[in-house]
C-alpha cells in the first residue's frame, strides 16, 4: 500500500520516455491495452473510460483493430513528459484505479475524443451497447 501512496500524485521517472507494449512474461512497466498499464510492477486500470477489447475479448475484427489503435495511442500519450498519476483505489480485480493526466488534460477525455474509448464510471457494462467515442 505504501507504493500506492507514493504514486498518488507522482510523475513517471524521466527514463520512462517510451512505454513498451506488454508481452508474455514478467511485467514491470508496459502498456497492456487501451486502458490498462503496468508501472513499477503494479497493474493500473485508467479511470474514466473503457477502451475496445483486444485479443480474444474482441467481438469482431473491427473491435480488435480499434483496440490495437487504442493501445498504440495510449502508448504515445503515456510517453509524453509531465504525466501525473492520481490513484483512486482498487477495482474488484485488484487493479489500481488511476486517473492519468498529461499537460493536455485527462487521458480518458483524450481517448474518448479520439474515438478510442467510451465514458465509463465503473459497474456493469453491456458489451452489446458500446459505442466508442461517445460520452455517457
Amino acid at each position: 500500500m505504501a507504493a500506492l501512496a507514493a504514486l498518488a500524485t507522482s510523475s513517471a521517472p524521466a527514463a520512462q520516455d517510451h512505454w513498451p507494449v506488454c508481452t508474455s512474461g514478467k511485467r514491470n512497466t508496459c502498456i497492456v491495452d487501451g486502458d490498462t498499464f503496468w508501472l513499477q510492477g503494479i497493474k493500473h486500470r485508467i479511470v474514466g473510460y473503457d477502451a475496445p477489447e483486444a485479443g480474444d475479448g474482441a467481438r469482431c475484427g473491427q473491435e480488435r483493430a480499434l483496440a490495437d489503435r487504442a493501445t498504440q495511442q495510449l502508448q504515445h500519450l503515456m510517453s509524453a513528459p509531465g504525466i501525473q498519476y492520481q490513484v483512486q483505489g482498487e477495482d474488484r480485480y485488484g487493479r489500481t484505479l488511476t486517473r492519468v493526466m498529461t499537460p493536455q488534460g485527462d487521458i480518458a477525455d483524450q481517448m474518448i475524443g479520439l474515438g478510442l474509448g467510451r465514458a465509463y464510471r465503473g459497474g456493469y457494462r453491456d458489451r452489446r451497447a458500446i459505442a466508442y467515442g461517445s460520452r455517457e
Side-chain angles (χ1 to χ4, degrees):
M1 207 56 165
L4 294 180
L7 194 68
T9 55
S10 66
S11 296
Q16 193 57 52
D17 293 332
H18 177 73
W19 286 73
V21 173
C22 298
T23 58
S24 60
K26 184 172 172 48
R27 295 176 174 184
N28 186 41
T29 298
C30 57
I31 303 294
V32 175
D33 58 23
D35 55 27
T36 308
F37 65 96
W38 284 81
L39 179 60
Q40 299 171 352
I42 299 171
K43 191 173 189 179
H44 295 262
R45 170 65 162 83
I46 302 174
V47 298
Y49 76 106
D50 187 38
E53 295 299 322
D56 293 337
R59 294 175 295 161
C60 63
Q62 183 178 4
E63 183 175 14
R64 193 171 294 107
L66 249 163
D68 290 345
R69 284 185 43 218
T71 301
Q72 291 169 0
Q73 184 62 34
L74 181 60
Q75 181 182 34
H76 172 75
L77 291 171
M78 296 283 285
S79 296
I83 298 289
Q84 296 288 314
Y85 305 96
Q86 300 168 352
V87 172
Q88 300 187 352
E90 278 190 1
D91 69 7
R92 62 183 173 176
Y93 304 108
R95 299 175 297 188
T96 301
L97 296 171
T98 306
R99 182 163 307 282
V100 181
M101 304 295 290
T102 71
Q104 290 72 41
D106 192 328
I107 276 187
D109 292 337
Q110 294 174 59
M111 294 292 282
I112 293 166
L114 292 167
L116 298 173
R118 71 166 185 94
Y120 178 65
R121 305 291 177 234
Y124 173 76
R125 320 172 278 190
D126 183 351
R127 301 280 314 143
R128 298 168 298 192
I130 291 175
Y132 293 101
S134 65
R135 299 178 190 270
E136 286 183 337

